[in-house]
């Protein structure tokens, strides 16, 4: 089993990086699932190296 590293960047309300969490996941789908769980409270960008995988916004900001 080979795990891949994804970077989840937690953004503040102005869109600036406030923190980074490295995720070790089997694949992109698992990384998305993990990021959705993190995005309950924060806006997050998920990156695979230099490729943006997705942007996640918490429901409470909508």
């Amino acid at each position: 089993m080979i795990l891949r590293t994804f970077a989840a960047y937690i953004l503040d309300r102005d869109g600036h990086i406030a923190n980074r969490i490295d995720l070790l996941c089997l694949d992109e789908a698992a990384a998305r699932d993990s990021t959705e769980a993190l995005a309950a409270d924060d806006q997050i960008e998920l990156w695979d190296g230099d490729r943006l995988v997705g942007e996640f916004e918490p429901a409470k900001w909508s």
Side-chain angles (χ1 to χ4, degrees):
M1 170 177 18
I2 297 175
L3 296 175
R4 293 171 49 193
T5 302
F6 294 84
Y9 290 97
I10 299 172
L11 307 177
D12 64 17
R13 288 188 176 261
D14 295 323
H16 299 107
I17 296 171
N19 202 354
R20 173 186 166 151
I21 299 172
D22 290 328
L23 303 172
L24 294 175
C25 300
L26 287 174
D27 56 24
E28 188 174 304
R32 286 180 173 276
D33 290 344
S34 294
T35 303
E36 281 185 19
L38 292 171
D41 296 319
D42 297 300
Q43 182 178 0
I44 299 177
E45 288 184 353
L46 177 63
W47 289 80
D48 180 7
D50 62 356
R51 182 179 65 87
L52 178 63
V53 175
E55 298 176 273
F56 301 81
E57 186 173 303
K60 69 179 185 178
W61 285 14
S62 300

